[in-house]
Amino acid sequence: MASKLLASTLRRTLTKATASSTTTHHLSTAVTAAPAFDSFEDDQNGITMKGVKIAGRPLYLDMQATTPVDPRVLDAMLPFLLSRYGNAHSRTHLFGWESDLAVETARSQISELIGASPKEIIFTSGATESNNISIKGVMHFYKDKKRHVITTQTEHKCVLDSCRHLQQEGFEITYLPVRSDGIVDLDELRAAIRPDTGLISVMAVNNEIGVIQPMEEIGEICKEFKIPFHTDAAQALGKIPIDVEKWNVSLMSLSGHKIYGPKGIGALYMRRRPRIRVEPLINGGGQERGIRSGTLATPLIVGFGSACEIAKKEMDYDHKRVMALTDRLLNGIREKIDGVVINGSMERRYAGNLNLSFAYVEGESLLMGLKEVAVSSGSACTSASLEPSYVLRALGVDEDMAHTSIRFGVGRFTTEAEIDRAIELTVNQVVKLREMSPLYEMVKEGIDIKQIQWSQH
C-alpha cells in the first residue's frame, strides 16, 4: 500500500515537471535528496562522506540510537500526510474530525501497551521533552514543600541535565551510584529519601548497557514513602512487558523512534489516581490538557500508535528472535578472540543491547575500523565526545576498558547474515589492532601490565 501511494504521487509530480522541463529526474526520493549534501559522494567505487570512504551502506546495528520505521507503520501514516491532513483541533469539519479520531485511536494503542488509560497519555515531541516536563514540571509545581530529587548516575543525559538545571535553581539532587552490574542498590535508594524528596527518577532500561532496573521494587519504596516515581522508559517500550500499575509509576517518558515508529514524536504517561501535577514548560492553546500546548502532529502520532500496536502483538516473537541473534553475535566473537568483557548485568538486561569492551584495543581506532558496521561507543546523544562513557565509569569500569566499549544494537529487522558479517569484521579489526599493540604482546608473554611502574619523561 505504501509503495503504491508513493509511486502514484511521484509519477504525477514527475510527469508535470517533465512537461515543462527537460531536466532528468530520479525516481527515488532518496537519490533526489542525496545531491543536497555537498560532502556526500556516491559512485561505483563506494560512498564517501565526512572524509570516510566505504564500499557501500554499512549494516545497521545501532538500534538503541534509533530504529527503522516498520513498513506497516508507514502504511498507517501515509493517508494523514497525503489526503487526511486536517488539524486534529479543528472541530467544525470532517478533516478535523477524522484527524482527532486518529489521534485518540493512537492514544488508546499506546496506553494498552503499558496498561494505562488513554486519558493518562500526553503527546510530546519525544522522550527528552517528556523527561524535562516530568522532572522540572513536578518540582516546580511542588516547590514550596519539595526541594529534593533522587536519580542515578547512569541516567540519560537529558535527565541528568534537567536535574543540574534544578540545582541551579536551588533544588538538591542525590545522584545514586550503581553496582558494578549497573543495578541500583535498593537499600541506598531507601536511605537517600528525605522528608522533602519530591521525585525519584530511575531509567527502566539503560540506553548504553541495556540493564533492566528492579522497577516493581523501586515502585514499592516510592509508594511506601508517598513519593512520585518517574521513569524514562524509551528503551523499554515494546521490548519488555510494562505495567504502570505493577511498577507504581507516576510519570513515564516514551519515544516513537525506538520502537520502529517515526522520529519527532513521544508521549508522557501521567497518573490520574492518585493524581500527579506538573507545571507546563510550553504555554499556548491549551492542547493536551494544557500540559503540552501546540498543534498535534497527526501523522507522527498515528505512526507511534501503530508501532505500539505492532509491538504489543509481536513482543514475544521479537524478544526470542533478538535474543537468539544477540547470543549468536556474542558467541561468535568470543569463540575467536579473548579479552572480551560484557558491560552490565547478564541476568537483568534487554537482549537487543550488547555492550562489549575489548581489552588492549584503542576504542576510536576500533570504531573507525568498523566503517562497514553502524555501531556506537555509547549514547547517540554523547557519542561525539571522546571522553569515556560516564555510564561505564559509574559501573567502575577502568578508563582504558571504557574507551574500548562498543554497543551492538540488534532489532526486529536484523538478519543472521548481518550478525555473521559483524562478527567477521569485528574480530578482524580487533586482531589487527592487537597486532600493533605492545601491551598485548606483553600480556601474551605473561607480563602483568598492571604491576608495571611506568615512568614519565
Side-chain angles (χ1 to χ4, degrees), residues 88-89 91 97-111 118-119 121 123 288 296 298 301-302:
H89 311 296
R91 307 297 186 189
W97 300 335
E98 61 188 4
S99 290
D100 179 59
L101 177 61
V103 166
E104 295 311 313
T105 299
R107 208 185 296 272
S108 297
Q109 292 168 323
I110 297 165
S111 65
K119 295 180 180 179
I121 302 298
F123 286 112
E288 298 300 277
L296 291 175
T298 304
I301 290 171
V302 168

Side-chain angles (χ1 to χ4, degrees), residues 212-247:
I212 304 172
Q213 297 292 348
M215 301 302 291
E216 291 187 35
E217 291 85 345
I218 295 172
E220 282 298 319
I221 293 174
C222 293
K223 186 175 183 179
E224 177 185 341
F225 288 91
K226 297 181 180 179
I227 299 172
F229 177 25
H230 164 253
T231 182
D232 177 352
Q235 298 288 347
L237 185 68
K239 298 170 185 174
I240 65 171
I242 295 177
D243 188 322
V244 294
E245 294 301 326
K246 287 184 179 180
W247 288 10

Side-chain angles (χ1 to χ4, degrees), residues 327-365:
D327 287 345
R328 185 186 186 102
L329 176 63
L330 177 60
N331 294 334
I333 292 174
R334 279 187 155 176
E335 285 172 2
K336 298 176 180 178
I337 52 176
D338 58 2
V340 180
V341 178
I342 301 172
N343 295 308
S345 170
M346 279 301 294
E347 291 73 33
R348 298 186 57 91
R349 74 181 302 125
Y350 165 60
N353 184 323
L354 184 62
N355 191 305
L356 301 177
S357 287
F358 299 87
Y360 320 113
V361 170
E362 204 282 312
E364 293 300 317
S365 299

Side-chain angles (χ1 to χ4, degrees), residues 264-275:
I265 187 66
L268 173 62
Y269 160 78
M270 290 185 60
R271 182 176 289 276
R272 299 185 77 206
R273 292 186 181 87
R275 187 180 183 187

Side-chain angles (χ1 to χ4, degrees), residues 301-315:
I301 290 171
V302 168
F304 190 11
S306 176
C308 288
E309 182 179 51
I310 293 168
K312 190 173 190 297
K313 293 176 181 177
E314 301 183 0
M315 190 187 304

Side-chain angles (χ1 to χ4, degrees), residues 133 137 140-141 278-283 289-293:
I133 293 173
H140 287 166
F141 191 89
V278 300
E279 181 180 288
L281 298 185
I282 298 175
N283 303 112
R289 305 207 314 269
I291 294 165
R292 207 284 186 178
S293 293

Side-chain angles (χ1 to χ4, degrees), residues 19 24 32 55-56 70 83 103 143 166 172 203 207 222 252 283 288 311 353-354 392 431 444:
T24 302
T32 304
D70 191 300
S83 57
V103 166
K143 61 184 177 183
L166 289 177
E172 293 184 59
M203 187 190 300
N207 56 307
C222 293
M252 179 183 289
N283 303 112
E288 298 300 277
N353 184 323
L354 184 62
L392 297 185
V431 170
K444 287 199 299 183

Side-chain angles (χ1 to χ4, degrees), residues 361-381:
V361 170
E362 204 282 312
E364 293 300 317
S365 299
L366 180 56
L367 267 182
M368 290 305 297
L370 291 175
K371 293 179 291 187
E372 294 182 48
V373 187
V375 290
S376 74
S377 58
S379 168
C381 301

